[in-house]
Amino acid sequence: RADAKLGSFIYSSPMDTVTGKTLTKEMVEADHYAVVCRFLENEWFETLKEYHSHPNVFFAIGSKVQDAKNFIQDMALLPYDANISINIDVAHGDTTYMHKLYKWYSSQNYINNIMSGSICTPAAAFRCIENGCTHLRIGIGPGSACTTRLKTGCGIPQLSAISIIHSSLLKQGKRDKVKLIADGGIRSPGDAVKYLAAGADGIMMGKRFSVCPESPGWKPHKDHWWQKSYLAKSYRGQASASFQNEMLNKDPDCAEGATGPIIRPGATVSKVIKEFEGGVRSALSYLGLSALKDLTPENVIFIKTSSSAIVEGTPHGT
């Protein structure tokens, strides 16, 4: 278990209560990936100035023309040899407009890697690769604060999405051209192991990092019963009514995100990462594998389970 070779596989989500400058620093020092939230404008730019060429840092960018213009202006303030990795942060990453955007960014000499907006089908994956994406952000609806499937009926269960995209790319000889990132649905290290075993190269988490003291968004909160003040915040989807009201001054007709209860600071980034690294190391030992690169669909067997089996596999009677 201790000898298992892992490498970098954890990505922080580009959410306003998750990835700012401090959490980026922690992710980089742990040799994992940060995707900086585009709505934290000042923090975003401060992080850009420091990590503009770091291979483990992606900068989330919006899909509007003005977002591209603002990004070009920011680039003018950086060294001429800046080599930036970006994520086009949009809920539907497989539109004609988005593919034109991927293609345009991929033609810019200062762009290193491009992570797509959210997708969940093999057809979308092929189009994203053809238009310059090096990383695919997979996940429509599995996030803990996402209500897309309830509001729209659209999406694919996350394990299936990862599996069919991986196998389709493999059959077409394009699997080595891109990294697959499972975004959402990861509550425990066991979930991460299953997505990685189904074909993902990495996993992206929001909620697990949102409780970390190093994440942004903490504000003084008063307990009305005890009249004591403490730091707190709510974890929320970026399409939630709360987020759109506060950050975009919008009142959405059908918000596709939820807002969680008040939370207090919890485990540090380092502790969360160690938990997930430990879980993956242990899984490799159970499977008789020596490295994360060997955790592939060819080396595991997936078995359908019943609701009774789920109960059996979780703590019960304690």
Side-chain angles (χ1 to χ4, degrees):
R1 184 178 184 278
D3 293 333
K5 296 177 176 62
L6 296 185
S8 310
F9 68 94
I10 303 174
Y11 294 72
S12 65
S13 178
M15 303 173 78
D16 70 314
T17 57
V18 178
T19 310
K21 186 177 180 181
T22 304
L23 190 129
T24 296
K25 177 177 178 292
E26 295 295 317
M27 296 297 291
V28 166
E29 289 182 354
D31 197 25
H32 288 284
Y33 298 93
V35 188
V36 187
C37 177
R38 62 191 171 99
F39 296 104
L40 303 173
E41 295 181 4
N42 293 333
E43 262 192 83
W44 186 95
F45 184 67
E46 288 302 313
T47 310
L48 181 70
K49 287 194 293 185
E50 186 168 344
Y51 295 99
H52 55 76
S53 295
H54 200 289
N56 284 35
V57 181
F58 285 77
F59 293 88
I61 299 173
S63 61
K64 296 178 181 177
V65 173
Q66 188 59 47
D67 294 323
K69 290 181 179 178
N70 292 341
F71 183 66
I72 292 172
Q73 291 174 358
D74 291 337
M75 283 298 305
L77 303 176
L78 299 179
Y80 73 93
D81 58 347
N83 199 19
I84 300 174
S85 294
I86 61 172
N87 164 225
I88 312 300
D89 183 30
V90 62
H92 183 7
D94 182 34
T95 65
T96 301
Y97 174 76
M98 286 304 300
H99 290 299
K100 289 180 180 178
L101 200 57
Y102 300 147
K103 196 167 188 176
W104 181 80
Y105 274 116
S106 67
S107 70
Q108 306 305 304
N109 58 12
Y110 52 82
I111 296 296
N112 183 18
N113 295 306
I114 299 176
M115 186 186 296
S116 73
S118 298
I119 64 167
C120 65
T121 67
F126 286 125
R127 286 188 283 267
C128 288
I129 293 171
E130 288 171 0
N131 289 294
C133 291
T134 58
H135 294 64
L136 303 183
R137 186 176 173 184
I138 301 172
I140 302 288
S144 61
C146 186
T147 60
T148 296
R149 293 184 200 167
L150 291 174
K151 299 291 188 180
T152 71
C154 296
I156 294 178
Q158 186 71 319
L159 190 69
S160 295
I162 297 296
S163 179
I164 60 176
I165 289 175
H166 168 80
S167 59
S168 297
L169 293 177
L170 199 60
K171 288 177 182 176
Q172 296 297 320
K174 297 191 176 186
R175 184 60 187 87
D176 61 345
K177 296 182 181 297
V178 72
K179 299 289 185 182
L180 305 185
I181 314 302
D183 174 22
I186 299 159
R187 295 161 295 182
S188 66
D191 293 327
V193 170
K194 291 166 191 172
Y195 292 141
L196 293 167
D201 296 289
I203 51 117
M204 179 180 284
M205 298 189 295
K207 188 175 182 181
R208 288 304 304 269
F209 285 125
S210 70
V211 301
C212 297
E214 302 94 336
S215 65
W218 298 107
K219 298 178 181 178
H221 181 81
K222 181 168 285 190
D223 188 315
H224 294 293
W225 181 258
W226 297 104
Q227 292 298 307
K228 290 183 178 179
S229 183
Y230 54 88
L231 291 178
K233 65 179 172 182
S234 291
Y235 176 68
R236 59 189 180 182
Q238 303 296 262
S240 65
S242 168
F243 177 86
Q244 293 190 57
N245 287 335
E246 181 182 332
M247 304 295 283
L248 305 177
N249 197 29
K250 290 182 178 179
D251 185 16
D253 294 328
C254 188
E256 293 176 34
T259 299
I262 295 294
I263 57 175
R264 300 194 192 192
T268 63
V269 171
S270 175
K271 192 167 184 178
V272 172
I273 288 175
K274 285 180 180 177
E275 178 190 352
F276 277 79
E277 287 182 338
V280 173
R281 287 181 185 278
S282 193
L284 293 176
S285 72
Y286 277 112
L287 296 166
L289 304 174
S290 61
L292 181 57
K293 65 180 180 59
D294 301 320
L295 185 59
T296 63
E298 296 75 28
N299 290 332
V300 301
I301 296 174
F302 281 93
I303 300 173
K304 285 186 178 181
T305 59
S306 66
S307 56
S308 295
I310 294 172
V311 172
E312 177 193 69
T314 55
H316 49 281
T318 55

